[in-house]
Each structure stands twice: as structure tokens, then as C-alpha cells.
Amino acid sequence: MAVLPIRIMGDPVLHSPAARVVEISDEIRTLVADMFETMDAAPGVGLAAPQVGVSLRIYTYNYAGDDGTPWRGVILNPELWMRPLEPGFPDEDDEAEGCLSFPGERFPLRRSNEVLVTGTDLDGQSVSIQVDGWRARIMQHEFDHLDGILYVDRLDDSDWKTAQKIAKKRGWNRPDQSWTPGVDDLDA
């Protein structure tokens, strides 16, 4: 297993829809193991294959709720259904989100509070996950990556402009930008 470099906003793989996984091969299993290791080293609560430069519809997730119960897994070729968003503006404290591909920043973003995700696991078995709260936020965030959408693309105009200024100042918004957890000194 290996910790992989995480692509940063501007890399084309992050801004294009990912392809479906056709076959669960040894290469896919190795990729998923590396994704878990990378996600844990970052540390992050989710990681999509495009974030490590692989344009496939795969994401890992890892979150422990208030009760400490671990919630960890991988989904291949996910489909996402969600309840409509509640109207209003996001709470700056409770709905702030970050992203390993836009490291070191957090912005408020309204997401649906409940989702259903279906797909397959590494054994090719069907998976169906219905979650709410932060788990629902994680599922939506990672699913967006598979469609070439970063969470900063969903921000309101003011926060979107701020994110663009940060990206420009840091030299992002161009190909070949990445960071490696445990190697590069970034707070994601």
C-alpha cells in the first residue's frame, strides 16, 4: 500500500466526470487500499479516485459519529438519491466543509440532510446506504467528485470569489498541482 499524491483544484481529472468501473481487478483492489491509506494519512473523511488522479467512479469514506462507532467503506459506481435541500443559507459553523483537493480551507455549504447511495463493494456485492447528517454530507461531497464537481463550485457568489482568489494566490487552477500527506506541509 502507498500514500498517493492528492490532486489540487485545477487538475483536469478533478473537473471531468469519471468512468464506471467495468471489472473489479487486482489493480482496482490495490487502488482502493492506497486510497484508504491516503485518506487516513491526510487525514480525511472521504476520498474519491479522481482526487488521486484516477478517473473512475470509486470513493472511500471513514467517519466516527458522536458515539464513536466507526463507519468505513468503499463504493464503486455509486448512484445517489437525496431529499430536497432545506431552504435558507448554510450555518457557518455546522455546515462548513473542507476538501483535500482544496486543502486548508473551509466554507459553508448547504447539503441535503438525508441520502440513499447504492453501488457495489470490492466483492461485487450490492451496497445500499441510507444516512443523514454528516454521513450524508460526506456521501454527497465524494459523489460530486465523480461528476467533476468540487465543493467550491457549489459555493455562493461571495465565497466562490474568495475561493478563486485563494486558488490564484496559491498558484492552483492549473494542471499538475498536488500534495502528498505526510510529505508536504499542508493543512487540509
Side-chain angles (χ1 to χ4, degrees):
M1 292 191 302
V3 173
L4 304 172
I6 298 173
R7 304 297 174 96
I8 293 176
M9 175 188 177
D11 194 296
V13 72
L14 293 173
H15 304 284
S16 302
R20 291 183 58 78
V21 175
V22 177
E23 178 186 353
I24 302 172
S25 62
D26 287 343
E27 290 81 14
I28 294 294
R29 292 179 193 285
T30 299
L31 170 64
V32 169
D34 291 347
M35 287 173 63
F36 274 116
E37 188 163 339
T38 303
M39 177 180 65
D40 293 343
V45 295
L47 186 69
Q51 291 182 275
V52 293
V54 179
S55 187
L56 288 174
R57 297 188 76 77
I58 304 171
Y59 67 78
T60 57
Y61 57 89
N62 183 41
Y63 181 75
D66 294 336
D67 64 358
T69 303
W71 179 67
R72 184 175 176 90
V74 59
I75 299 179
L76 286 68
N77 300 325
E79 297 292 333
L80 173 76
W81 291 269
M82 60 185 155
R83 288 203 188 272
L85 293 176
E86 294 289 327
F89 295 99
D91 181 283
E92 291 190 20
D93 295 320
D94 293 336
E95 295 179 286
E97 219 170 280
C99 181
L100 298 174
S101 291
F102 198 89
E105 301 297 329
R106 295 181 66 78
F107 291 96
L109 178 63
R110 177 65 44 108
R111 295 265 192 194
S112 177
N113 193 49
E114 187 177 350
V115 300
L116 170 65
V117 178
T118 61
T120 59
D121 64 16
L122 273 181
D123 295 321
Q125 299 299 309
S126 294
V127 174
S128 180
I129 302 170
Q130 187 167 356
V131 289
D132 60 9
W134 271 98
R135 288 177 173 98
R137 179 175 294 277
I138 293 164
M139 293 283 133
Q140 292 166 84
H141 181 107
E142 299 310 324
F143 187 86
D144 273 353
H145 278 298
L146 305 182
D147 286 339
I149 299 169
L150 297 179
Y151 91 108
V152 294
D153 297 331
R154 294 194 180 277
L155 299 176
D156 69 28
D157 286 343
S158 175
D159 287 337
W160 183 85
K161 287 176 185 173
T162 300
Q164 297 305 309
K165 288 177 185 176
I166 291 168
K168 183 176 180 180
K169 181 179 178 182
R170 293 183 182 168
W172 299 345
N173 267 342
R174 65 179 204 262
D176 301 324
Q177 297 294 305
S178 66
W179 70 282
T180 304
V183 175
D184 296 313
D185 186 24
L186 291 175
D187 294 322

